Amino acid sequence: GARVDAELRHTLAGPDGLAAPNVYVLDPCCGTGAYLVEVLRKIAETLRDKGGDALAGHDLKRAAMERVFGFEILPAPFVVAHLQLGLLLQSLGAPLSESRQERARVFLTNALTGWEPVKHPKQLVFREMEEEREAADRVKHDTPILVILGNPPYNSFAGIANMDEERGLTEA
């Protein structure tokens, strides 16, 4: 979070870095939300340093609900990510309201699919799952993502070898 924020401040977003209202962040494989938590912590720190007025909590919650996104394909880490982000926002004085159906923008979706509009999407058995897919697709199609976060491969050589294998580039 801090390195991304520093780079944004120096090159793209000005003095507010990750807290700038035009900075949209995506972690396409967010797991339990560790990187998203750090992004929101950095945004909260910047808002506090700017004056920490009563709007800071409101601005932090807006960032979590409108500008900081995560995609996760596995249900268990997806649930934990929501828990982590909800607890963080609560601890920072910006709790999400269940009665107003506020939620962090972490979606149960495959980050590798859905970027091209589908003319006839498959009907899903559960309406909630269909709503989740539609919300994730709106992010994929309409959001001007500026920052993409993620873990690099731990063994880049193995990653390159596997990609070559998939493309049929390795010798038999």
Side-chain angles (χ1 to χ4, degrees):
R3 288 178 59 195
V4 172
D5 186 67
E7 187 62 30
L8 283 169
R9 288 172 191 262
H10 288 79
T11 59
L12 298 169
D16 291 342
L18 287 167
N22 65 329
V23 174
Y24 292 81
V25 178
L26 171 65
D27 184 341
C29 302
C30 72
T32 59
Y35 283 6
L36 299 177
V37 163
E38 290 309 312
V39 165
L40 289 175
R41 280 187 207 276
K42 193 64 184 169
I43 291 172
E45 179 184 311
T46 299
L47 294 171
R48 187 177 54 244
D49 291 348
K50 283 181 65 173
D53 60 9
L55 290 177
H58 176 264
D59 291 345
L60 177 62
K61 187 173 13 176
R62 280 191 59 198
M65 293 175 47
E66 298 174 7
R67 299 189 300 102
V68 177
F69 302 95
F71 294 159
E72 179 52 48
I73 196 168
L74 298 174
F78 163 80
V79 170
V80 173
H82 274 280
L83 176 64
Q84 298 256 57
L85 293 168
L87 290 172
L88 174 73
L89 290 168
Q90 186 173 5
S91 74
L92 295 173
L96 297 170
S97 168
E98 192 173 330
S99 66
R100 289 194 298 257
Q101 297 182 331
E102 294 176 339
R103 66 172 274 186
R105 292 301 184 241
V106 174
F107 298 103
L108 188 62
T109 188
N110 184 344
L112 300 178
T113 63
W115 294 94
E116 294 294 323
V118 178
K119 291 181 183 172
H120 305 288
K122 294 178 186 174
Q123 294 296 106
L124 299 175
V125 176
F126 299 104
R127 180 69 198 139
E128 294 83 2
M129 294 300 294
E130 206 164 311
E131 290 170 358
E132 188 77 4
R133 181 189 61 205
E134 290 168 359
D137 285 352
R138 281 193 297 276
V139 173
K140 292 173 182 179
H141 301 160
D142 302 331
T143 305
I145 302 295
L146 181 62
V147 176
I148 299 176
L149 302 171
N151 283 327
Y154 291 103
N155 184 340
S156 61
F157 180 77
I160 290 169
N162 288 339
M163 286 185 344
D164 286 348
E165 217 170 88
E166 289 172 10
R167 294 181 187 146
L169 299 176
T170 56
E171 295 180 36

